[in-house]
Amino acid sequence: MDQSSTILTPPAEPRDFGFYLEGASVPAGSREVFVRNSPGHGVPVTRMVKCTDDDLDAAVASARRAFDDRSWSALTGADRATILLRTAELLRARIDEVAYWETLENGKPIAQARAEVGGCVGMFEYAAGLARSLHGDSFNNTGDGALGVVTREPIGVVGLITPWNFPFLILCERVPYILAGGNTIVAKPSEVTSATTLILAEILTEAGLPAGVFNVVTGSGRTVGQRLLEHMDVDMLSFTGSTAVGRAVVEASGRTNFKKLGLELGGKNPQIVFADADLEDAADGVAFGIAFNTGQCCVSGSRLIVERSVAEDFGRMVAEKLAKAKIGDPLDESTQIGAITTDAQNETILGYIEKGQAEGATLISGGAQPDLGKGQYIAPAVFTDVTPNMAIAREEIFGPVLTILPFDTMEEAISMANDTEYGLAASVWSKNIDTALTVSRQVQAGRFWVNTTLAGGPELPIGGFKQSGWGREAGIYGVEEYTQIKSVFIEIGKRDHWIK
Ligand code: NAP
């Protein structure tokens, strides 16, 4: 990486990454490789191994051995915390490097990538505390002759499938918590964004994680991912991705060993803006909520539901804000909106922008493809004259496309917000506390923001209502998700015999 100039540049040659097994990187050898082009620059940046079925089986066997030999699960919480804290420290020292590879493979702005990796340091620190404080329960209301003890046990081998939109952040919203619970892991990142997961593997080993506790297989979802879903020796699977693949995850679990599942799926998230909001703040928040990570964000606020009396003016304010956001080379520090991550996603977003117009909605700004001489970019699109049944208002686009729907009463706003199969996230903007609280209590979403959006920290759990998923990640709930409960009933003293 060229660090001498203000704007970093892609590597002259793509970097080779091995997959990760038993605490060490395994080079491709005679296996096929996948070459990843940077979506912001159109040049090859990484080469990943296409793992075989045998590689996947070896990774699961490695995680199984590491779980069964109790080299991790039997450590004290304090010892596990020490390794998680050391990981945080090592990661902090490598923030720039991790952000660089994240940006190259994903296309997100480097400043944003750096902030995300910085946030991941906090995830490891917080989970270290949870490793120490995780505990069971006891019942001494059983009379003098007995005692009930409830323990929290790790689940075992956890398969972890992550998507390409936040390859490192989503990974770190899970890994520290899974490890804090005493489990071992086989991670399968998206084939197009595997680099930073492999860098984390190196860091964990350097921090002292026993060999085999964290393994990474690379390759496509349809091959190596599907085999991980179906593996009989995987006890739990945490999947983050599309609702369609989520369904395949549930089916695979049912067909095989009923592995426990954690699912974080799609969203079509409302931003509800009342006329009494600070409209300047709200316009900035709504613009951020749809354009952050080029809208390739499961929690992006893609449905603006705004009080009719201010709808037209407010739509204009949002459009003006978005027009000012800087679209540019993801490696440029000043870029706010980077590249669209994959060719397929680029086509999907452009397809929806066309479809919205064909369905009769009015594109009031954006939607074009700025020509930066390299890479693929889309200016955030804002649509008015939208009806709730249009595809752009109902389907998850996973891109910078905002639909504006006006409302007249709070009840109508709540009902419009809930008129979706999803329930991942929602925001309300109002200076009236009764309005804000009523909406926050009645909108069905796993994450809710009041007078802000896309905010949070390691303490707050993540997850969806309705078809947006099962279970929770992060926070105390996140670590509990990766444990199972054992109840122990202990008799004290002489048994009262059944057969006298
Ligand atoms: P995706 O196609 O479902 O892929 C997600 C992950 O699953 C990738 O690692 C993918 O690998 C893998 N995969 C694909 N097919 C598979 C199969 N048959 N068996 C096992 N694994 C398989 O989704 P995506 O396009 O990457 O991400 C976009 C979707 O994810 C959106 O719907 C978005 O809302 C959702 N998402 C949700 C959250 C959340 O927290 N709720 C966060 C981020 C994204 P390959 O990429 O290598 O094929």
Side-chain angles (χ1 to χ4, degrees):
M1 123 177 57
D2 173 9
Q3 285 176 318
S4 57
S5 54
T6 347
I7 301 182
L8 297 168
T9 53
E13 287 292 320
R15 175 171 164 189
D16 283 299
F17 283 85
F19 63 108
Y20 209 83
L21 201 65
E22 295 282 6
S25 178
V26 182
S30 58
R31 296 172 188 83
E32 282 182 61
V33 293
F34 171 81
V35 179
R36 173 64 174 155
N37 282 347
S38 160
H41 309 91
V43 297
V45 287
T46 55
R47 261 192 303 256
M48 295 291 158
V49 181
K50 280 183 167 291
C51 284
T52 62
D53 287 356
D54 287 347
D55 296 332
L56 187 268
D57 291 347
V60 174
S62 160
R64 171 57 56 199
R65 263 193 307 279
F67 185 72
D68 289 347
D69 72 15
R70 301 179 64 75
S71 57
W72 181 243
S73 65
L75 288 188
T76 63
D79 286 345
R80 284 209 286 271
T82 301
I83 289 173
L84 293 172
L85 287 173
R86 211 177 289 143
T87 304
E89 205 181 303
L90 293 169
L91 180 57
R92 186 176 279 114
R94 291 174 72 170
I95 288 177
D96 286 347
E97 178 200 350
V98 177
Y100 176 72
W101 292 103
E102 188 82 337
T103 286
L104 285 175
E105 288 196 331
N106 169 279
K108 67 180 66 200
I110 185 79
Q112 179 194 322
R114 209 178 290 116
E116 285 171 19
V117 181
C120 294
V121 172
M123 297 283 175
F124 277 93
E125 289 170 340
Y126 183 70
L130 293 176
R132 295 202 72 157
S133 59
L134 195 63
H135 65 278
D137 206 348
S138 65
F139 290 85
N140 61 343
N141 60 351
T142 44
D144 280 348
L147 182 66
V149 176
V150 179
T151 57
R152 278 196 177 276
E153 314 269 332
I155 289 178
V157 175
V158 177
L160 179 56
I161 297 182
T162 51
W164 45 255
N165 59 340
F166 291 96
F168 200 70
L169 181 67
I170 288 177
L171 181 77
C172 294
E173 284 169 346
R174 287 145 183 76
V175 168
Y177 301 87
I178 300 173
L179 294 178
N183 304 282
T184 62
I185 300 174
V186 177
K188 204 305 278 177
S190 172
E191 181 162 50
V192 294
T193 54
S194 300
T196 53
T197 303
L198 291 159
I199 295 174
L200 181 67
E202 268 172 35
I203 293 176
L204 285 165
T205 299
E206 196 185 336
L209 192 74
V213 175
F214 185 74
N215 309 274
V216 184
V217 285
T218 49
S220 83
R222 273 194 307 280
T223 54
V224 78
Q226 184 70 32
R227 194 170 173 88
L228 185 58
L229 302 184
E230 292 174 353
H231 210 290
M232 294 297 284
D233 225 7
V234 171
D235 303 302
M236 176 168 177
L237 199 122
S238 166
F239 171 80
T240 307
S242 62
T243 301
V245 179
R247 216 173 284 286
V249 174
V250 174
E251 285 163 6
S253 170
R255 264 200 318 276
T256 56
N257 59 344
F258 286 111
K259 50 181 72 65
K260 182 179 174 180
L261 300 178
L263 301 174
E264 296 234 0
L265 309 173
K268 187 73 180 174
N269 311 294
Q271 290 265 8
I272 308 167
V273 178
F274 285 84
D276 65 14
D278 178 327
L279 294 179
E280 293 284 337
D281 279 3
D284 186 68
V286 170
F288 174 68
I290 189 60
F292 178 69
N293 215 47
T294 54
Q296 301 173 121
C297 192
C298 53
V299 288
S300 71
S302 50
R303 288 188 297 146
L304 169 58
I305 298 173
V306 53
E307 196 160 350
R308 195 178 302 276
S309 59
V310 295
E312 204 178 321
D313 285 350
F314 188 73
R316 204 167 25 245
M317 286 166 77
V318 173
E320 280 167 11
K321 276 264 174 195
L322 285 170
K324 280 199 250 167
K326 184 175 171 202
I327 303 174
D329 180 340
L331 287 174
D332 182 338
E333 283 296 330
S334 63
T335 292
Q336 290 172 291
I337 299 178
I340 304 298
T341 305
T342 66
D343 296 349
Q345 193 56 28
N346 203 49
E347 290 310 305
T348 301
I349 299 167
L350 293 172
Y352 273 108
I353 293 171
E354 251 182 66
K355 194 167 187 178
Q357 291 167 288
E359 280 181 317
T362 307
L363 181 64
I364 61 163
S365 72
Q369 294 175 274
D371 182 5
L372 305 187
K374 58 191 172 184
Q376 53 200 13
Y377 299 85
I378 298 178
V382 181
F383 278 101
T384 57
D385 301 320
V386 177
T387 58
N389 287 331
M390 289 181 181
I392 53 168
R394 298 209 75 77
E395 294 168 20
E396 183 186 43
I397 298 173
F398 220 54
V401 181
L402 183 70
T403 56
I404 304 184
L405 290 156
F407 72 84
D408 292 301
T409 64
M410 179 169 65
E411 293 67 30
E412 193 192 353
I414 292 168
S415 146
M416 286 163 87
N418 286 335
D419 180 22
T420 166
E421 71 209 36
Y422 296 114
L424 198 56
S427 299
V428 66
W429 298 83
S430 167
K431 286 296 176 195
N432 181 317
I433 191 166
D434 294 335
T435 304
L437 286 179
T438 303
V439 174
S440 77
R441 295 192 62 178
Q442 292 188 26
V443 169
Q444 296 157 334
R447 294 174 81 179
F448 200 93
W449 293 288
V450 178
N451 293 326
T452 186
T453 197
L454 311 189
E459 296 80 2
L460 290 169
I462 300 166
F465 283 20
K466 301 200 274 186
Q467 290 187 37
S468 290
W470 292 349
R472 291 294 176 270
E473 306 288 351
I476 180 92
Y477 312 90
V479 75
E480 286 178 0
E481 198 76 33
Y482 293 99
T483 62
Q484 53 193 338
I485 298 287
K486 181 183 282 176
S487 76
V488 183
F489 190 84
I490 305 162
E491 196 157 294
I492 303 168
K494 183 76 183 141
R495 179 177 172 79
D496 180 9
H497 283 216
W498 182 52
I499 303 170
K500 307 277 182 196

